[in-house]
């Protein structure tokens, strides 16, 4: 019994405990549910889009003056790919207070010097090799780049030194599809080109068409909000260099002197037309090179004919040099006329004949022992030039040593050493009309490392 009474007593106390525990659980349940409901209400209030009555923001202003409301901006942000705003970030609607700071962040750095060049092999930095698929083999490029680059030299051309003086990298050829960088300009020069249309594939008029095409594509890309290497200000402030006409002269030098002279004005007229075309396309700074002392080239000396006439005191062909001087005279006068016509422009003519002839006449001053001899050629003295054998297959016994200074690289084009001397005089302005240093025509940016393309 005693055991029965204990059990009965125990049964009545367990029922009361169960009732008590059930009440506590219900209280906890209601507390949890209340907390959840409160959290939902707070979250809803926190992430609710701004009302349509919020003042509009100019962030969505378009060309027609339409504005986008703050609510619209919030909706657009929420619908954006990635759903970043829905993951917990508040939608920030610009209110105008930070306009100046935002503009500073968006503002691009000031552009550097832009150089745009037209010409032939004297300034070709690899265009002909790219467009014709020509594999230019060593020893081209041996003195500076240490490998062929498409330049018809053992190193740099005058244009490269011009770029270096302006603290910008060497110009990339327009026709080269790989490895080109056009933010500092573009080189349209192609070896063999003429100023006269139709004489060659990439005559000056074609190079101008390529320039117009390039410029229009750049500006169209910018209008679409895309990135372009040069903007409108870059084209307007660019330095436009031109070194062409030599191949036109080479093509008529076989004629008697009195028949050559009447052909010169037409060649110069094409250069004048090109400058006018560039001016219509906002070009304002021109640097125009005349032709060099063609009668001192080993190629001409080694293949001289009876009707070429005699040699001058420095061993150059007088008739050919007279043609070059007459061409330069006409080109200089043309630049004078254009200077009067385009008073808003800088038009500089450089007497390349005087510079290059001085290199021959005063060669000892420059440490040159054999001014009329080719470095990379065949046959030995006096000119080391054979028209039937190219420089690329030269015998080492006829190749000049790296530490020797030569003017001519292959009979026509200059060596890196000679181009450096010539370029220093070009840049100085001493042989320019008007007398102006090349570096004063542009704003020089911070110095950068020279390109070794």
């Amino acid at each position: 019994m005693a055991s029965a009474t204990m059990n009965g007593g125990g049964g009545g106390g367990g029922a009361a405990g169960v009732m008590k525990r059930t009440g506590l659980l219900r209280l906890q349940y209601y507390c949890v549910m209340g907390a959840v409901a409160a959290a939902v209400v707070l979250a809803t209030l926190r992430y609710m889009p701004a009302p349509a009555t919020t003042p509009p923001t100019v962030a969505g202003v378009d060309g027609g003056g339409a504005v986008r409301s703050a609510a619209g901006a919030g909706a657009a942000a929420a619908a954006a790919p990635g759903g970043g705003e829905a993951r917990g970030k508040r939608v920030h609607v610009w209110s105008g207070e930070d306009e100046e700071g935002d503009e500073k962040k968006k503002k691009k750095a000031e552009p550097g010097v832009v150089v745009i060049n037209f010409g032939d092999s004297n300034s070709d930095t690899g265009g002909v090799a790219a467009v014709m698929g020509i594999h230019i083999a060593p020893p081209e490029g041996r003195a500076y780049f240490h490998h062929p680059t498409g330049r018809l030299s053992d190193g740099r051309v005058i244009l490269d030194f011009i770029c270096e003086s302006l603290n910008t990298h060497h110009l990339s050829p327009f026709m080269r599809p790989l490895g080109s960088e056009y933010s500092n300009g573009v080189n349209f020069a192609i070896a063999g080109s003429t100023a006269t249309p139709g004489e060659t594939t990439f005559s000056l008029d074609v190079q101008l068409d390529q320039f117009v095409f390039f410029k229009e594509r750049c500006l169209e890309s910018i209008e679409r909000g895309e990135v372009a290497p040069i903007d409108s200000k870059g084209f307007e402030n660019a330095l436009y260099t031109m070194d062409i006409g030599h191949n036109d002269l080479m093509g008529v030098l076989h004629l008697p002197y009195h028949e050559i002279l009447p052909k010169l004005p037409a060649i110069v007229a094409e250069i004048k037309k090109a400058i006018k075309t560039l001016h219509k396309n906002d070009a304002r700074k021109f640097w125009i090179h005349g032709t060099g002392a063609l009668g001192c080239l080993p190629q001409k000396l080694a293949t001289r004919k009876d009707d070429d006439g005699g040699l001058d005191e420095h061993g150059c062909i007088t008739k050919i040099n007279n043609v070059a001087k007459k061409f330069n005279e006409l080109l200089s006068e043309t630049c004078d006329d254009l200077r009067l016509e385009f008073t808003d422009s800088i038009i500089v003519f450089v007497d390349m004949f005087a510079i290059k002839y001085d290199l021959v006449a005063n060669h000892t001053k420059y440490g040159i022992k054999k001014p009329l001899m080719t470095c990379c050629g065949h046959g030995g003295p006096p000119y080391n030039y054979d028209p039937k054998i190219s420089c690329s297959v030269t015998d080492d016994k006829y190749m000049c040593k790296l530490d020797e200074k030569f003017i001519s690289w292959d009979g026509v084009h200059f060596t890196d050493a000679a181009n450096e001397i010539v370029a220093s005089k070009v840049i100085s302005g001493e042989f320019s009309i008007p007398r102006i240093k090349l570096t004063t025509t542009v704003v020089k940016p911070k110095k950068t490392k020279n390109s070794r393309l």
Side-chain angles (χ1 to χ4, degrees):
M1 296 262 324
S3 61
T5 304
M6 288 178 62
N7 289 339
V18 167
M19 298 262 318
K20 186 177 182 179
R21 287 195 295 270
T22 301
L24 290 173
L25 288 173
R26 285 176 179 171
L27 178 61
Q28 292 175 1
Y29 171 78
Y30 290 136
C31 290
V32 170
M33 291 299 295
V36 170
V40 169
V41 171
L42 290 173
T44 302
L45 292 173
R46 182 178 184 183
Y47 298 112
M48 182 181 294
T53 55
T54 303
T57 171
V58 298
V61 175
D62 60 19
V67 295
R68 186 177 62 205
S69 71
E85 309 303 341
R87 291 194 177 98
K89 293 183 180 179
R90 293 191 67 177
V91 177
H92 173 71
V93 180
W94 175 71
S95 59
E97 294 89 355
D98 297 325
E99 179 178 7
E100 184 178 354
D102 288 347
E103 286 303 313
K104 285 182 178 179
K105 290 176 184 177
K106 293 177 182 178
K107 188 177 181 181
K108 294 181 180 179
E110 290 297 322
V113 172
V114 173
V115 180
I116 297 175
N117 182 71
F118 305 88
D120 51 32
S121 58
N122 281 340
S123 57
D124 187 350
T125 53
V128 73
V131 73
M132 301 301 292
I134 301 172
H135 177 68
I136 297 179
E140 302 279 12
R142 69 168 190 166
Y144 181 77
F145 301 101
H146 310 303
H147 62 85
T149 64
R151 293 166 173 80
L152 301 181
S153 172
D154 64 338
R156 294 159 290 185
V157 295
I158 294 170
L159 178 64
D160 293 322
F161 290 101
I162 287 176
C163 288
E164 290 175 13
S165 75
L166 298 173
N167 297 328
T168 189
H169 59 78
H170 300 153
L171 289 190
S172 294
F174 176 68
M175 301 300 291
R176 188 177 66 191
L178 300 176
S180 290
E181 157 56 91
Y182 301 124
S183 62
N184 70 317
V186 58
N187 188 10
F188 295 96
I190 297 285
S193 296
T194 56
T196 307
E199 296 293 325
T200 51
T201 304
F202 295 97
S203 51
L204 184 54
D205 62 320
V206 175
Q207 294 181 27
L208 287 171
D209 287 342
Q210 291 176 326
F211 162 73
V212 173
F213 176 88
F214 175 78
K215 181 184 177 184
E216 288 178 349
R217 296 296 85 73
C218 284
L219 299 185
E220 287 173 1
S221 295
I222 293 172
E223 286 179 4
R224 291 194 298 267
E226 301 169 358
V227 176
I230 305 173
D231 60 16
S232 58
K233 285 294 183 184
F235 285 109
E236 290 171 13
N237 296 325
L239 178 67
Y240 291 80
T241 57
M242 197 174 296
D243 194 331
I244 201 166
H246 324 290
N247 291 316
D248 301 79
L249 298 180
M250 290 289 199
V252 298
L253 290 177
H254 64 281
L255 299 172
Y257 184 73
H258 69 278
E259 292 183 22
I260 296 175
L261 295 184
K263 296 183 178 297
L264 302 184
I267 302 171
V268 174
E270 293 300 329
I271 298 176
K272 180 178 183 179
K273 187 189 300 182
I275 295 173
K276 285 191 168 188
T277 298
L278 290 171
H279 187 270
K280 287 180 181 177
N281 281 274
D282 303 319
R284 294 296 182 267
K285 300 173 184 177
F286 300 92
W287 197 266
I288 312 299
H289 290 181
T291 193
L294 304 180
C296 300
L297 298 178
Q299 179 210 49
K300 289 301 176 188
L301 291 166
T303 58
R304 183 164 62 103
K305 302 180 296 293
D306 292 339
D307 57 356
D308 283 336
L311 305 177
D312 65 15
E313 59 182 316
H314 299 293
C316 302
I317 302 173
T318 303
K319 168 197 163 184
I320 294 178
N321 275 349
N322 285 341
V323 170
K325 286 190 285 187
K326 184 61 178 177
F327 172 82
N328 284 353
E329 180 185 328
L330 293 174
L331 184 55
S332 179
E333 290 173 357
T334 294
C335 289
D336 291 341
D337 294 340
L338 289 171
R339 211 173 291 119
L340 293 173
E341 182 177 352
F342 300 139
T343 56
D344 61 345
S345 301
I346 299 172
I347 303 175
V348 178
F349 168 79
V350 183
D351 188 355
M352 295 298 287
F353 181 92
I355 296 174
K356 293 185 175 182
Y357 189 75
D358 175 68
L359 202 57
V360 174
N362 299 297
H363 58 276
T364 55
K365 180 174 72 174
Y366 303 106
I368 298 168
K369 295 180 180 179
K370 303 168 183 175
L372 302 178
M373 191 169 168
T374 297
C375 171
C376 183
H378 297 269
Y383 307 120
N384 194 35
Y385 180 84
D386 187 334
K388 299 184 294 296
I389 309 175
S390 70
C391 166
S392 61
V393 293
T394 188
D395 192 322
D396 285 346
K397 71 178 181 179
Y398 296 123
M399 174 73 69
C400 71
K401 296 178 182 179
L402 272 171
D403 59 351
E404 290 182 295
K405 272 192 176 181
F406 272 66
I407 295 175
S408 179
W409 168 242
D410 57 8
V412 176
H413 308 99
F414 277 28
T415 62
D416 182 90
N419 279 330
E420 183 172 16
I421 297 170
V422 172
S424 67
K425 295 180 181 295
V426 169
I427 294 164
S428 73
E430 182 183 352
F431 295 86
S432 300
I433 303 174
R435 283 204 170 194
I436 179 173
K437 289 184 178 180
L438 183 140
T439 52
T440 63
T441 63
V442 294
V443 178
K444 295 170 67 174
K446 294 180 180 179
K447 192 167 185 178
T448 58
K449 185 178 287 187
N450 292 340
S451 171
R452 285 182 176 267
L453 300 178

